[in-house]
Amino acid sequence: MVDTNNRRQIPLLPLRGLLVFPAMVLHLDVGRPKSVQALEQVMETDHQILLATQKEISIDDPTEEEIYHVGTLAKVKNLLKLPNGTVRIHVEGLKRARIDQFIQLDDYLQVEAEIVEEEDAYLTTEMQALMRNLLTMFEQYTKVSKKISAETLASVKDINEPGHFADVIAANLPLKLAQKQELLELTSVKDRLLKLIEILNNEQEVLGLEKKIGQRVKKSMEKTQKEYYLREQMKAIQKELGDKEGRSGEVSTLREKIEEVDMPAAIKEKALKELDRYEKMPSNSAESSVLRNYLDWLVQLPWTFETEDQLDVIRAEEILNEDHYGLEKVKERVLEYLAVQQLTRELKGPILCLAGPPGVGKTSLARSIARSLNRKFVRISLGGVRDEAEIRGHRRTYVGAMPGRIIQGMKKSGSINPVFLLDEIDKMAHDFRGDPSAALLEVLDPEQNNTFSDHYIEEPYDLSKVMFVTTANNIGTIPGPLLDRMEIISIAGYTEVEKIQIAKNYLLPKQMKDHGLSKGMLQVKDEAIQKVVRYYTREAGVRSLERQLATLCRKTAKIIVSNEKKKVVLSEKKVEELLGKPRFRYGLAEIEDQVGAATGLAYTTVGGDTLSIEVSVAPGKGKLTLTGKLGDVMKESAQAAFSYIRSRSEELNIDPAFNEKLDIHIHVPEGATPKDGPSAGITMATALVSALTGRKVKKEVGMTGEITLRGRVLPIGGLKEKSMSAHRAGLTTIIIPKENEKDLEDVPESVRNDLTFILVSHLDEVLKNALGE
């Protein structure tokens, strides 16, 4: 060790998380190899070492920059080697020292340091005042903090030397290392005393605040403990009453769910309010379970989640064509909706009504619409629904109350923009429980359904993003206001050509798969399918056709399993062998021209049909008899035709007194089937004229049209379906009202090409084309 004018070369011991002031005596445990070597070095000389604090505790081998350059020169009074390899030393701080230069860094740290002498260390009057002030504050701090012992305070009081006094107080205060280092670096005793007064002043303020906070926390803790005690009591009471689990866990789970679900603010507020009521309610009360169910519904309903629409028109068209053959109008409407959505992304969900006979694919088409839009699909059947509460739900005051089918469907879908199918909307009825069709008015009105109100939920629910699709067989039974809210898309029956294509490409592959048949087991010829369509089914759709194909598949499966054949080829002959004799006669047209029998065309809920009208004339007193289960409108049409013939009897070469001499009987088979409507007017008139004049009605002619008392022919509805039924029946000529000319474009081209359409505006034109000479 070199010592020159207060400058010394001396080993350095870096301290971690610790700072030693002059006059401090303490024990240290040293474990780092360099530090141990430095101690061994000083023990061989004058036992003096420099203690300086590291800036970072975590560093094992600190560099020059990582050590504070002001430390404490200390004397190692004692050194003890411990069994674990560490060394325990007893040191006493002597003086401040400033490191000027690091000399050695390899085996141990050695530095060149300057011993710092204290400035103004004399006991002046000012110094005494500062010491007295600091002591008073230290005493107050000791009382409040309770971290400093009475012995320490007594020893501080006995110190008269200002520098020593300041260092002892600094060493006993719970300060941060940076603050202690700042005090160590102050060579002016006066500055050190002032700094300590400032620190103690701040500490007293902090301790005062801590005391206040502690009192508040204590009160809060007391309150919490009281609440906890009361809750535990409540749990015990609930357990005694039969609620073993208590309710706290359930309530907290529900609260979490309410927070997780993205509800509108008003709904969330209502849910939390009802949850508070539920929490305070006895578990055995009737209303408790009602509230629990209500909260479950609020949590499980989709309030804001919506699926992303797949707005690719080309992909949607491919899906629609893949699932359904024909039905161009409906597909076009869906693609239009998609195109507009792609441009605006704000179009309210349309309300489509698919109207048509059974079995034409209305329900499955709605499913395909959902698939093409990439939306969830929900279907509810309205057939036979008589109660308004089925739509709007029951109020919660009723036992077993539930939301209506609309809200149930939305919960099932899990999103606010599904494709929602309301099946069989024309089959709803109403009675003393209300009118469900009136309740649907709000659901199906795009201007109102963004705030749909369900009696059970009681809060407005947004249905504006839902795409509603309804189906109906007969739109005539749907109330006017409800019909006005829907866009009607009529789906007529399929032509024979379409049925054969549907059977080949859709129905037969599906049935073969369902019955475990491969292509190598069953081969069906086109003429066999045609025979099934013509002689074993009579329908506008394809449901019955699918049943017949299923029968053929079953019989084929039996033949193959019983090892009669390994492969079945279905020809016309084989079809008759498996299905039995034909059930229907293809081509219902009359075999020959007849007097008093005319073929009319009718439109029913199952599609178009032909109607044979027969008139017989016998001597009598002019009695007119109508049979065949006819409705009022149809009877009135017969009366109108009869009156017209009486007024034109001379021009028609009929005895003017025929109504006094002859009894006339008009019959419309089949007698058990109810029939109504005005469109059989010209058919009845033609059959009457034929019976009274003896002129035969041409067998290949069918007709439809309403008649007036003056012989004018008025337009009718369902021309497409009627034309298809005429084609199916084997007729070649159809007489239709001239005003229906615009509807001819709806008739399939294959049907139009096989039929001759005669447009008429007066009965004279009908008779000219329908009756023979």
Side-chain angles (χ1 to χ4, degrees):
M1 179 181 293
V2 181
D3 191 345
T4 311
N5 299 327
N6 284 350
R7 297 181 72 81
R8 303 175 65 177
Q9 287 185 6
I10 187 167
L12 173 71
L13 179 63
L15 301 178
R16 286 200 279 197
L18 181 68
L19 187 143
V20 176
F21 282 98
M24 271 182 77
V25 178
L26 74 162
H27 288 89
L28 296 173
D29 284 350
V30 180
R32 287 186 281 191
K34 280 188 179 183
S35 300
V36 172
Q37 204 162 345
L39 286 168
E40 287 174 353
Q41 182 68 27
V42 300
M43 293 306 287
E44 291 174 5
T45 55
D46 60 356
H47 290 214
Q48 289 191 358
I49 194 166
L50 183 62
L51 305 177
T53 306
Q54 286 179 209
K55 293 177 183 177
E56 289 290 334
I57 298 175
S58 56
I59 297 168
D60 274 337
D61 192 8
T63 61
E64 188 176 338
E65 293 78 21
E66 290 161 346
I67 298 173
Y68 286 115
H69 281 219
V70 176
T72 303
L73 179 69
K75 185 168 186 176
V76 181
K77 291 193 166 187
N78 194 6
L79 184 146
L80 177 66
K81 290 185 178 178
L82 300 173
N84 60 2
T86 60
V87 174
R88 178 168 291 168
I89 57 172
H90 183 209
V91 293
E92 179 187 1
L94 300 174
K95 290 186 176 183
R96 285 170 170 74
R98 183 181 291 107
I99 298 169
D100 290 335
Q101 186 181 354
F102 279 72
I103 298 169
Q104 182 181 324
L105 299 169
D106 297 334
D107 299 333
Y108 60 89
L109 297 175
Q110 184 158 354
V111 296
E112 185 175 308
E114 181 187 355
I115 308 302
V116 178
E117 296 296 338
E118 291 184 339
E119 301 169 13
D120 56 22
Y122 307 107
L123 193 61
T124 62
T125 311
E126 185 186 3
M127 203 66 80
Q128 281 182 329
L130 286 171
M131 286 172 68
R132 214 174 271 176
N133 191 1
L134 180 58
L135 182 62
T136 306
M137 293 182 81
F138 188 63
E139 282 179 348
Q140 288 173 355
Y141 177 79
T142 306
K143 288 175 187 174
V144 178
S145 77
K146 296 181 181 176
K147 289 177 184 175
I148 296 162
S149 64
E151 291 80 6
T152 305
L153 183 61
S155 65
V156 169
K157 285 178 180 178
D158 292 338
I159 300 170
N160 294 320
E161 199 272 309
H164 186 196
F165 178 77
D167 286 341
V168 171
I169 288 178
N172 283 288
L173 286 176
L175 304 177
K176 291 180 182 175
L177 267 178
Q179 281 181 303
K180 286 189 175 183
Q181 183 67 33
E182 191 182 343
L183 286 165
L184 185 66
E185 290 177 5
L186 289 173
T187 54
S188 167
V189 177
K190 180 182 174 183
D191 289 349
R192 218 180 304 155
L193 290 168
L194 287 168
K195 184 69 179 174
L196 281 168
I197 289 168
E198 184 191 334
I199 289 170
L200 276 171
N201 194 28
N202 288 340
E203 281 293 318
Q204 280 184 337
E205 284 185 22
V206 171
L207 284 170
L209 283 170
E210 275 184 6
K211 192 175 180 183
K212 284 182 184 176
I213 291 166
Q215 287 171 344
R216 280 186 206 157
V217 169
K218 188 180 177 185
K219 284 180 184 175
S220 176
M221 284 288 288
E222 285 173 358
K223 186 183 177 185
T224 307
Q225 285 171 340
K226 183 182 176 184
E227 284 180 4
Y228 173 77
Y229 177 68
L230 288 171
R231 283 183 197 283
E232 288 300 313
Q233 275 191 324
M234 193 187 288
K235 280 183 189 175
I237 293 164
Q238 285 171 343
K239 194 172 179 181
E240 287 298 316
L241 291 171
D243 183 4
K244 292 179 184 175
E245 296 295 323
R247 198 174 284 196
S248 55
E250 187 182 20
V251 169
S252 63
T253 307
L254 274 170
R255 199 178 297 279
E256 280 173 25
K257 284 183 181 177
I258 290 167
E259 294 296 338
E260 283 170 17
V261 175
D262 192 9
M263 294 179 180
I267 311 294
K268 192 173 187 176
E269 189 183 337
K270 173 80 180 276
L272 291 170
K273 187 179 174 184
E274 294 294 331
L275 183 64
D276 288 342
R277 277 185 64 211
Y278 174 66
E279 189 176 9
K280 293 166 186 172
M281 197 172 285
S283 59
N284 60 346
S285 73
E287 199 179 348
S288 175
S289 60
V290 173
L291 260 180
R292 181 72 174 82
N293 288 339
Y294 179 67
L295 288 166
D296 277 342
W297 274 101
L298 286 185
V299 165
Q300 290 170 23
L301 272 177
W303 293 98
T304 52
F305 173 74
E306 60 181 296
T307 54
E308 190 175 346
D309 283 353
Q310 188 83 37
L311 299 174
D312 186 346
V313 176
I314 296 165
R315 175 184 168 275
E317 189 169 11
E318 284 172 4
I319 289 172
L320 292 170
N321 288 332
E322 182 187 317
D323 291 352
H324 291 86
Y325 183 84
L327 307 177
E328 302 304 330
K329 265 192 177 180
V330 198
K331 292 176 182 174
E332 186 64 28
R333 179 64 186 85
V334 175
L335 297 177
E336 284 168 8
Y337 169 72
L338 272 176
V340 175
Q341 276 288 71
Q342 198 167 338
L343 293 174
T344 66
R345 294 185 178 271
E346 290 182 1
L347 187 67
K348 289 180 179 175
I351 288 111
L352 306 178
C353 178
L354 307 179
V360 293
K362 299 186 294 296
T363 304
S364 62
L365 187 65
R367 203 179 295 274
S368 293
I369 290 170
R371 191 158 81 91
S372 66
L373 285 166
N374 195 33
R375 289 189 179 192
K376 305 278 188 183
F377 177 73
V378 187
R379 173 188 169 273
I380 63 170
S381 178
L382 297 176
V385 170
R386 294 171 173 271
D387 189 353
E388 182 202 347
E390 290 276 339
I391 307 298
R392 282 191 180 280
H394 299 84
R395 299 202 178 277
R396 281 190 284 151
T397 48
Y398 294 107
V399 176
M402 281 185 74
R405 293 197 185 190
I406 302 297
I407 292 292
Q408 286 179 37
M410 294 307 292
K411 175 192 166 189
K412 186 180 172 186
S413 76
S415 73
I416 60 165
N417 64 336
V419 172
F420 206 122
L421 175 65
L422 301 169
D423 221 352
E424 311 288 2
I425 199 167
D426 58 326
K427 307 291 191 303
M428 282 190 300
H430 60 90
D431 58 13
F432 63 93
R433 287 169 290 192
D435 185 355
S437 64
L440 273 178
L441 292 176
E442 185 186 6
V443 175
L444 299 182
D445 190 336
E447 298 303 320
Q448 297 179 39
N449 64 11
N450 61 334
T451 54
F452 171 68
S453 176
D454 184 274
H455 289 154
Y456 183 85
I457 300 297
E458 291 179 343
E459 295 295 326
Y461 191 84
D462 186 4
L463 296 174
S464 62
K465 293 183 180 177
V466 179
M467 184 176 189
F468 284 104
V469 180
T470 66
T471 70
N473 296 135
N474 179 17
I475 59 173
T477 61
I478 302 173
L482 189 58
L483 197 63
D484 181 55
R485 282 162 169 77
M486 299 186 285
E487 182 179 340
I488 309 296
I489 299 177
S490 294
I491 305 177
Y494 295 112
T495 61
E496 185 179 287
V497 177
E498 288 175 329
K499 283 184 182 179
I500 292 168
Q501 288 298 322
I502 290 166
K504 274 173 65 178
N505 300 326
Y506 299 88
L507 305 181
L508 193 57
K510 178 173 175 274
Q511 290 302 324
M512 285 174 68
K513 184 183 175 185
D514 290 349
H515 290 83
L517 298 171
S518 65
K519 288 183 180 177
M521 296 177 182
L522 176 63
Q523 184 186 341
V524 184
K525 294 184 176 179
D526 286 2
E527 56 266 27
I529 296 175
Q530 187 181 48
K531 181 159 187 175
V532 175
V533 170
R534 285 184 172 182
Y535 297 100
Y536 293 89
T537 64
R538 177 157 294 152
E539 57 179 347
V542 289
R543 232 178 238 140
S544 183
L545 174 59
E546 188 171 15
R547 279 196 291 270
Q548 295 302 330
L549 292 174
T551 304
L552 290 172
C553 289
R554 280 200 309 276
K555 293 187 181 293
T556 302
K558 186 190 169 198
I559 290 167
I560 289 167
V561 170
S562 58
N563 294 322
E564 289 180 40
K565 288 181 184 177
K566 289 187 178 177
K567 181 179 181 179
V568 176
V569 178
L570 284 181
S571 60
E572 286 188 68
K573 187 179 176 185
K574 191 69 176 174
V575 165
E576 192 165 328
E577 186 184 314
L578 295 176
L579 293 181
K581 293 291 178 188
R583 297 184 183 182
F584 302 101
R585 179 163 66 88
Y586 178 70
L588 296 175
E590 299 296 340
I591 299 167
E592 56 185 22
D593 295 354
Q594 292 192 17
V595 173
T599 305
L601 304 174
Y603 175 66
T604 68
T605 55
V606 292
D609 205 355
T610 53
L611 206 64
S612 181
I613 293 179
E614 300 170 347
V615 176
S616 71
V617 179
K621 295 180 180 178
K623 185 181 176 186
L624 177 65
T625 306
L626 303 168
T627 57
K629 209 165 185 184
L630 309 184
D632 290 341
V633 177
M634 207 162 185
K635 287 177 182 176
E636 287 162 5
S637 290
Q639 295 282 359
F642 184 71
S643 298
Y644 171 74
I645 292 166
R646 280 184 63 192
S647 67
R648 296 289 302 278
S649 57
E650 288 185 13
E651 289 91 332
L652 296 169
N653 294 322
I654 298 171
D655 181 359
F658 78 91
N659 64 312
E660 295 174 0
K661 301 175 183 176
L662 301 171
D663 282 348
I664 298 171
H665 186 164
I666 300 174
H667 179 65
V668 186
E670 300 156 350
T673 308
K675 305 161 200 78
D676 204 4
S679 62
I682 64 169
T683 317
M684 288 179 171
T686 304
L688 271 168
V689 171
S690 170
L692 291 168
T693 59
R695 293 166 68 187
K696 291 182 177 179
V697 180
K698 294 175 185 176
K699 65 178 184 298
E700 71 279 4
V701 175
M703 60 193 80
T704 179
E706 184 177 349
I707 189 176
T708 70
L709 283 175
R710 296 181 182 182
R712 282 180 58 227
V713 180
L714 301 180
I716 45 82
L719 180 65
K720 180 181 178 182
E721 290 80 0
K722 290 176 178 178
S723 303
M724 287 166 69
S725 72
H727 184 259
R728 208 160 45 230
L731 300 172
T732 58
T733 304
I734 303 181
I735 298 172
I736 63 170
K738 188 170 181 59
E739 290 182 47
N740 282 111
E741 186 176 4
K742 64 182 185 303
D743 300 321
L744 282 173
E745 63 183 37
D746 293 337
V747 180
E749 194 176 346
S750 59
V751 174
R752 265 204 319 265
N753 294 339
D754 290 349
L755 294 174
T756 303
F757 291 90
I758 298 173
L759 303 169
V760 298
S761 55
H762 197 274
L763 188 62
D764 292 348
E765 297 170 63
V766 177
L767 299 176
K768 179 181 172 184
N769 288 287
L771 298 177
E773 294 300 324

